[in-house]
Structure formats: C-alpha cells, structure tokens
Amino acid sequence: MDLIDDLVTLLPELILVALVLVIIVADLFLPRAAKWVLTWVTVGGLILAGAACVVVWNINETVYNGFYVVDDLSVFFKATTILIGIFSVLFAPSYLAVRRIPLGEFNIILVSALIGMSILASSGDLITLFLGLELMTMPSYLLTGLHKTDRYSNEGGLKYFLLGSFASAILLFGIAWIYGLTGTTNVAGIAAAVDGTMSGALLVAIGFLTVGGTFKIAAVPFHYWTPDAYQGAPTPITGFLSAGPKLGAFALLIRIFADALAPLRADWLAIFLILTVLTMTVGNVVALTQVNVKRMLAYSSIAHTGYIMAGLAAFASADDQRVAARGIEAVLFYVLGYAVMNIAAFAVVAMLQRDTGRFGGLNSFRGLASRDPWRAGAMAILMLSLTGIPPTVGFFAKLYVLLAAVEAGLAWLAVVIVLNAALAAFYYLRVIVYMYMRDPEPEPAPVDTSPLGSVALALSVVGVIALGVFPGAILGLLEVSAASLF
Amino acid sequence: MDGFPLLSAIVFAPALGALLLLFVPGTNLRLIKQIALIAVLASFVLSLRLIGYDTGGAEFQFREDLPWIEAFGMRYSMGVDGLAVVLVLLTTLLSVVAIVYSFEPIKTKVKAYYITMLLLMVGMLGVFVSLDLFLFYVFWEVSLFPMYFVIGIWGGPRRIYATVKFVVYTLVGSLLMLVAILAVVIAHGNETGTVTFSYEALRGFAYADSLQALAFIAFFLAFAIKVPMFPLHTWLPDAHVEAPTAGSIILAGVLLKLGGFGFLRYNLPLLPDASVTFAPIIIGLSVVAILYGALVSMVQPDLKKLIAYSSVSHMGFVMLGAFVFNQQGLQGSIYQMLSHGVTTGALFLLVGILYEQTHDREIAHMGGLNARLPAYAAMFGLFTFASIGLPGLSGFIGEFLVILGTFQYNGLVAGATMVVVVFSAVYMLWMLQRVFFTVPSDWMRQHWSRLRDMSRGEWWALAPLIVLVVVMGVYPGPILELISAPVERIVEAVNGAGMTGLGPLW
C-alpha cells in the first residue's frame, strides 16, 4: 500500500525509463564515431530490465488503487517485450548506418515504445490501458517514419499515424461507453458490473472496443494500414513493428475482452470468430500474390494475427477454466514464438538491403544458398517455422492454438487454420525456392555480414529450434501467467 | 528401456552424419561421401540387430520411453513390432543403395545433397519406430521437407513445379491429420482424465462415431496422398519424373510406404468402426487404382513415368489387401509394400543408369539395347518380372496373398482384380520389348558407341536388391512370420469392433 514499497513492483518499467534518460544523455555527448556504444548501453539496460522481471515474478499484486496490476501475465508480457527489444536493437545498427538514420534516436524511441507495452500489459484500469497504448503507438509512428529522406517511410509513418489515431479515438469512445454503463474504468470493477447480462448499449461499447482493438492487432478488415506501414518502415523496424505493437495490442485485447468483459465472452465470441477466419484467410491469400518479401511478410503477419486470435476465440468458447486458460496460453506462446522468428526473418531481408537500392524483392534472394549458405539456411529455417513445420517454434505455436481450439469445441476452426497453413506454405516456400533452386542474379544483392546481426540471427535460429524441440521448458511459465486471469 | 537405445541410434545415426557434414569443407568430396556412407551403413548395421525381434514376445520391443513435453502428455516413446522391423530394414537398406548410387551422378552442391538425404532418412525411420502420436507427426513432417529439397535442387527441368506440388499435396493431408490426432487425443483425454499421445493408450478406445468418421477422413487423406491412392496420385508422376534417381528410389521405395504403414498402424487399429464403414469405398478405389495405374502406364512415353504409374497400380494392391481385413490380405499388403520397395527401387536405379549416359528417357528413343548392354538388360528383365509378379520372385507372394484375401472378402472383386493383373503384365512386358528387343532407334544408334554396361559401383548398389528379390520370392517364411502377429492384432482390432461399422451419422 505504501507508495515507495509499491515502486519495487515497477522495477522493470523504472529501469526502462532510466535507460531512456541514459541514452538521451549519452547520445548528446558521444562523438559520432562512438555512437555504437549506444547499442550496447541499450542492450545492457534491457538485460537489466529483463532481470528485474525475475524479481517481480510471482508477486501478483494490484497497486496504486487498482490502476496497475503486476500479475504474472503482465510479467510474461514484459519479459517478451524486452526480448523483442533486445533483438530489434541488435539487428538494426548496420542497416541504419548505411542509410544515415541516427542510432541514438532509434534506441530512445524504441525503448519508449517498450515502456508503453509494459504499461499496457499491467493496466488494471482502462485509463492506464489507454495511456500505455498511446505510449506504445506514438513511438511506433515515429519509428515507421524514421527514415526521413525516404518518401515510402514518410508515407508509411503518416498513414500509420492518421489511421492509428483514428482507431485510438474509437477505442477511447468505447471506453467512455463502458464507463457510462458501469460507472467505472477499473477492469475488475467492469467485470463485476457487467455481470453477464447483455444490453444494446453494451453491444455498442463492445463494437467500438472491438474495432479499436482489432485495428491495433491489424485484423481484417482493419488491416489496411499494415502493408504500407510495414513496407515503408526501415526493415529492422518493421520486424519490431510486426512483433512489438502486436504483442501490446494482444495484451490490450486480453485485458479488455478476457478480463473486463470476460463475463460476456459468449457474446463477443461470434464476432471474434468471424474476424479470426477473415484475418487469416485474407492475410494468406493476399500474401500469395506478393513478389516483395517485405510486403509478403507484412501480409503474413496479418495471417498470424488470425492464428493468435483463434486462441482468444478458444478462450471465449471454452466450457471450463482449464480449457479457457489453454486459449490464453496459446496466445502467449504464439506471441513469443512469432516475435522470435519474425524479427529474425525481417532481419534477413534487411541484410540483403545492404545496397540501399534494394527493397527486399524476391530476386534479392536468388541463389542466396550458394552465396551465403549460413544466412540462407537460417532464412530457410525461419520460413519453415513461419509455415509451421516441426521441429520449430512456429509449429508448436500453431499446435498450441489448434489444441486450444479443438479442446474448446472449435474443431472446424482448427481445420480452417491448417488449411490456411497449407496455403501459407506456398509463399513461404517460394522464398526457399528462390534461395535454393534458382541461380543468382548477374549482380547479386550484397549481403550485410556485420557480426552483431549475424550473432543475433544465430541466436534467433537456435531459439526457434530450441523452443520447438523443448517447449516444455516454458510451458510452466505460461500456465502460471495465464492462471493470473482467473 | 534396457541399456543401449538401439532405435534412437538407428534413427539418429544419419542425423549425426549430417551434423558432421556441416563442418566438412564442401570441396572435400571424398570425405563427404565417406561420412555419408558410414552414417547410413551404421544405421543399416544397427538395424540388422532388429532381426532378433522375438516373435513370441511382447508386441513392441526395443522400447525407449522418456518424458518429453509432459504438460501435454507427449513422450519420446519408441518401439517396434514385426511390421516396423521389416520396414525399418527396407529403409536402411534402400538408404545405403541410394547413397552408394548417388556417388557418381550427383555433381553439384554435393555436401548439401548428402545432408538432405541423411535428414530424409531420419524422418522416415522415425515414423516407423514412433509409439507416440506427436513424435510420429514430427517425424512425418521431417520426412517431407528433405524430399522437397532433393527434388527442387537436384531435379530435372520442371523440378520446382513438381516439388511445390509434392509439398503442398502432402502438407494439406498431414495438417488435417494433425487436427485429427488432436481431436482423438482430446476425446480420449476428456473421457479418461489423462491427456496422452501414447499410441497404445489411444488405440482400442471407443471413440464416438462422428469423431471416428471425421478423424478417419483426415487420417485417410494424409496417408492416401502419400500412398498415393487414386484419385490423389497426381503429384507422384511429376515428382518422380523430376526427382534425381536416388530421390526416386527413396520416394518409391520408402516414402510411399509411409502411407501404407500409416493405414496399418493408425487408421485401422485407432478407428476400426470407421475403417469397416469406409472399407467398401476404399476397396473400390483400390481396384480402380490398380486398373487405372496399369492403363495409364501402358501409354506412357517416358520410362520413368511408366514406372511411376505402375507404382499407383502396385500400391493399389497394398490398399486392397489392407482393407479386406483378413490375415492373407493384410500379410499380402505388407509383403507387397516390401516387394514394391525393392523392385521399384531397383527399376528406378536401372533407369537412372541409362539416363546418366543418354540423358533421355523416351521409350521411343530406345530399342535393341539387349544387344549392346546384356547384363543391364538381364537385370532390367529380372526386376520387371518381379514387378509383374512372376512366381519365384518377390512380387508374386504379395499379389497372390492379396488376391487370396480378397476372395474371402468378395469373389467378384477378386475376379475383377485378377483380370486387371493381366494388364500389369501387358504394360511391363511391352515396355521391356520396346526398350530391349526391337531394333535400335536412329536416335539410340547415335549414342550406341558411348553406351556402357553396368559399372562396378552400380553392381554394388544393385546387388543387395538382386539377392532380396529372389530370396523374398522363394523363401517368404521369415518375413511372414515377423508380420503375422501385427496382422493378427489388426484383424482382431477390426473384428473386435464387430465388423459393425459406424451407426448412422446424420
């Protein structure tokens, strides 16, 4: 209850805030030639924040008059957030350097977004939630437009900003309705007030919240900003955008729908089912027609959003608590696994953009296997993982969602998911075809071989396989995390 | 598990070889080939120990059982029964043959080639020895992607089309199977309270009729595509034509058997009621496949495509035997799988030998080769006759048993099948005649002087198959004894379901 005592529960966030300040100051004083130090400062700070997550694990306290919830679910999200941050920071420097994008600003904005995601994950009140959301998305807009001299980057940033603000406003409107109906913005309070009885007004509120929330995860039909924002953003940042804000947005959906509106889950299930099926199918079908790998991965990220939403649908459709928890666990595992594989996949695209005239087209990948077998091998494993082939994390993530769906009595949804996965195989395998089965271009794309990126890529691939073969190592954590919702 | 984990060693010896190869420089071809050969030989020699399977003992022997992902009841559980023993032996043997044969023809990306082939073997062997449905599924998928690379990288001109078709076909089937596995596991878990992927626990459980029907269809699709069963076979000719020779040997010899094995191991014992209900349809499709494969083979201008379509016909026998649900039919089905693996593997190898010299497989371009390549012609003849089912060679036993079993099921179906068998003799003999006995074509005359008979390496690759095709033809006893217990269990499982089938579903 004590203000100072409660600060301990905020340790990871506090470290992140301190990190931002340190980078700002260091960026001011470091000479241009020594800016690379910033990367290490950021990584060091993030690792520290990650260690702090261990400290706040198992605390399960609600602090500051219910505004802030430090339960294991939030800690899991924070730890994943920090992991996303570390990989994004490691992959970015050489790409940014070639394009003269300032490293210091990148790190500052990125860590700010991480703080927003952490707050979002911990929000026990819709006010905190909105605060976290804005703190996450504002830096995301900036990151998208970070390449000032590139008009695609500008366009992407602007589009993301305009549409994103619009969606935030809609979400806020939904929050206002909820407040008007229940008299509270507190998540637990709302859950108690709605009491499972549906009304017309509540339906309107849910409608606004659904539109606002699913816009943020880029679900169809609210996905139109995604391809342009993802393609315009500097490639390593696209990797971050596809994993980080998505994680944040799913934290938001869980807090609103699986927590505050949990008593009404039978009512919002139907709309989620429709969105789930639409999202994965449209994402995959459109991805099929892309010849630019970056844009293809953008659409595929929409498809993956659909798979993750299936976990939420399983939660809503479950009869008993164990099955409902399985749905949430599936969401958590998928978000984590997706972050590890997708950030790395975008990083490989970035490595092939050493030449600034390259935009991540399929042709850049031609014959990569003979030019750079290790990177080609890594990309092949990542593509197989995104397809969902064992023994990779992508497979187990999909298996988790399937298991949750079948257990929750949504076997037909599981069938839709696997048919989509087979469809997705077409375009993921196309990258492998280009790398392994076609001859290189006459003037092949130069490859960025900076050691930092290579090490991060190796780590990602090891992670993809290790989590695929021994997912049991973190299943316990997932169970504990999901259990804090019930 | 007592002491040495034999099955793990058999399965992962090739993986170890692949891992070693990663660190060998790609230019050291000699060392690469040596490591690959040692890895498959190790696997083969270890698998010989499986002959010690005690037919009077426990159902599954050489057990290994370790916890894996306990939260979901997945275990690293392996074991073999007689059926798995013979298929593992077939796999390790054909793997050695495929590796030895690859030494000469594979000239590009040699290191990657052997790594891929070795990983392929891991997947195939794993499928046969898994006793946990999750582990089985993992190996099932692992066996898919190396073949994708083998066809796509070392294949013929239309390799990319062929390999993508191959992968997408099989992937659709296997992913649906994954859902079915989960549905079965969850249904069992809800009833008994323990979630487990253990094969032994899941089989013999009375699943609800509607679940059985849907799960059967999903399993059926996965396995039928792999077999491949008419009308899901269209990926096979493309894959075979484009695959390099060693790829074809493995594809025909082992990968198709994964489908047959899947039916015998999973479909029938897990879902007996649905099997009984769907049997007439599958028997009908099998007979059609036998006939269709034979007719289409007859008109193929390409030697490899002809043999590919003949596989459709032969695998039709496998399916027919499996679904008549009696001792003879099932034994014949398994025997036919083994025999087909040996004879078709050998035939693809022989086609490959000729193709390496002429880079052409048009039957119209051949003729009269008997005069130029007598030893080659003799071997080709031997395996052709084995494939037709000449008594004394391996193909006869399987076909005979299948037809015998079919007679017990329905005389009319058996009669129809026998008529169809004649066609298989027609297309094979006609092919033999056009390739070896007529006058050489003008095209072939241009290559006449450059043709050479079997080389020593080729003899080595072929030798074990020659021995097998004869031994299996004249002395089927040991193999039949090995597979009789598994067959009895399947018959029991299906008959235990009372041969009643499913109740009305809708």
Side-chain angles (χ1 to χ4, degrees), chain A residues 281 283-291 293 296-297 300 303-304 307 362 383-384 386-389 398 417-435 437-438, chain B residues 144-145 148 159-173 175 235:
Chain A
T281 312
N284 277 323
V285 168
V286 184
L288 269 180
T289 64
Q290 304 302 319
V291 289
V293 178
M296 180 273 273
L297 285 173
S300 97
H304 284 279
Y307 305 144
L362 263 175
M383 288 297 120
L384 291 179
L386 284 166
T387 316
I389 304 302
K398 227 161 243 150
I417 291 174
V418 296
L419 290 179
N420 262 289
L423 191 62
F426 266 113
Y427 58 81
Y428 288 126
L429 294 183
R430 188 150 56 204
V431 179
I432 297 183
V433 166
Y434 270 78
M435 290 193 301
M437 302 168 198
R438 294 200 193 273
Chain B
L144 169 59
F145 277 85
Y148 163 71
R159 60 185 190 274
I160 292 173
Y161 167 77
T163 200
V164 171
K165 191 168 172 182
F166 163 70
V167 153
V168 171
Y169 248 99
T170 17
L171 204 57
V172 170
L175 283 167
W235 61 270

Side-chain angles (χ1 to χ4, degrees), chain B residues 67-139:
Chain B
W68 186 12
I69 305 169
E70 286 184 276
F72 288 176
M74 296 156 182
R75 296 181 71 82
Y76 179 83
S77 178
M78 288 178 170
V80 286
D81 60 356
L83 171 62
V85 167
V86 290
L87 286 169
V88 166
L89 284 168
L90 176 74
T91 308
T92 51
L93 179 76
L94 284 178
S95 299
V96 175
V97 171
I99 292 286
V100 171
Y101 177 76
S102 300
F103 285 169
E104 281 304 310
I106 298 298
K107 302 229 183 329
T108 54
K109 301 177 188 160
V110 177
K111 178 170 134 180
Y113 175 81
Y114 288 105
I115 293 178
T116 325
M117 287 297 273
L118 290 173
L119 290 179
L120 177 61
M121 281 143 211
V122 175
M124 296 184 306
L125 290 166
V127 167
F128 292 134
V129 302
S130 300
L131 286 182
D132 179 287
L133 264 71
F134 180 72
L135 187 65
F136 157 74
Y137 183 79
V138 170
F139 280 122

Side-chain angles (χ1 to χ4, degrees), chain A residues 66-424:
Chain A
F67 270 86
Y68 214 73
V69 183
V70 187
D71 55 4
D72 292 333
L73 180 68
S74 73
V75 178
F76 182 86
F77 271 125
K78 282 173 210 172
T80 311
T81 298
I82 286 161
L83 192 73
I84 291 172
I86 291 174
F87 276 116
S88 304
V89 168
L90 287 177
F91 280 128
S94 59
Y95 182 92
L96 299 182
V98 178
R99 287 163 181 77
R100 301 179 181 283
I101 302 171
L103 186 62
E105 288 172 21
F106 164 74
N107 285 333
I108 295 163
I109 302 172
L110 183 86
V111 178
S112 307
L114 299 184
I115 299 172
M117 285 149 64
S118 303
I119 295 176
L120 193 49
S122 267
S123 47
D125 192 289
L126 296 186
I127 303 292
T128 333
L129 181 119
F130 191 73
L131 186 78
L133 176 68
E134 289 306 285
L135 189 50
M136 170 183 88
T137 44
M138 287 297 173
S140 302
Y141 307 145
L142 287 180
L143 284 173
T144 307
L146 199 62
H147 194 186
K148 279 183 290 194
T149 54
D150 178 58
R151 63 194 180 90
Y152 294 106
S153 181
N154 296 340
E155 183 196 327
L158 194 64
K159 225 174 221 174
Y160 192 8
F161 170 66
L162 288 175
L163 292 173
S165 321
F166 196 58
S168 293
I170 293 176
L171 186 78
L172 199 55
F173 199 45
I175 293 176
W177 273 76
I178 288 284
Y179 176 70
L181 290 168
T182 61
T184 177
T185 52
N186 184 284
V187 167
I190 295 168
V194 292
D195 196 26
T197 44
M198 194 62 183
S199 68
L202 216 42
L203 194 67
V204 176
I206 288 180
F208 282 123
L209 291 174
T210 309
V211 173
T214 52
F215 176 92
K216 300 291 179 188
I217 54 170
V220 175
F222 310 111
H223 67 288
Y224 283 100
W225 57 276
T226 321
D228 290 328
Y230 282 14
Q231 196 181 14
T235 311
I237 292 175
T238 314
F240 168 75
L241 289 179
S242 73
K246 198 188 291 289
L247 170 141
F250 269 103
L252 174 141
L253 285 184
I254 288 178
R255 286 294 175 207
I256 293 184
F257 287 94
D259 206 346
L261 298 177
L264 294 175
R265 62 193 192 197
D267 297 299
W268 55 259
L269 169 65
I271 184 71
F272 263 69
L273 282 175
I274 295 169
L275 289 177
T276 304
V277 172
L278 261 184
T279 303
M280 59 179 111
T281 312
V282 172
N284 277 323
V285 168
V286 184
L288 269 180
T289 64
Q290 304 302 319
V291 289
N292 182 298
V293 178
K294 203 170 162 185
R295 204 170 169 85
M296 180 273 273
L297 285 173
Y299 279 108
S300 97
S301 114
I302 296 173
H304 284 279
T305 296
Y307 305 144
I308 306 176
M309 284 175 80
L312 275 180
F315 163 84
S317 157
D319 292 330
D320 63 67
Q321 189 176 316
R322 188 184 55 83
V323 180
R326 177 91 8 119
I328 298 296
E329 289 162 27
V331 172
L332 299 182
F333 191 90
Y334 209 114
V335 167
L336 171 68
Y338 181 69
V340 176
M341 58 191 176
N342 215 45
I343 294 177
F346 274 112
V348 177
V349 178
M351 286 172 188
L352 287 170
Q353 290 182 281
R354 180 98 190 135
D355 168 4
T356 53
R358 296 260 176 189
F359 299 101
L362 263 175
N363 279 332
S364 303
F365 285 85
R366 267 179 180 274
L368 187 65
S370 53
R371 291 190 288 132
D372 194 332
W374 291 98
R375 273 183 192 72
M379 188 65 171
I381 291 172
L382 293 170
M383 288 297 120
L384 291 179
S385 179
L386 284 166
T387 316
I389 304 302
T392 59
V393 69
F395 164 68
F396 203 81
K398 227 161 243 150
L399 180 84
Y400 219 136
V401 170
L402 292 175
L403 200 67
V406 175
E407 266 187 314
L410 297 172
W412 64 269
L413 184 62
V415 171
V416 175
I417 291 174
V418 296
L419 290 179
N420 262 289
L423 191 62

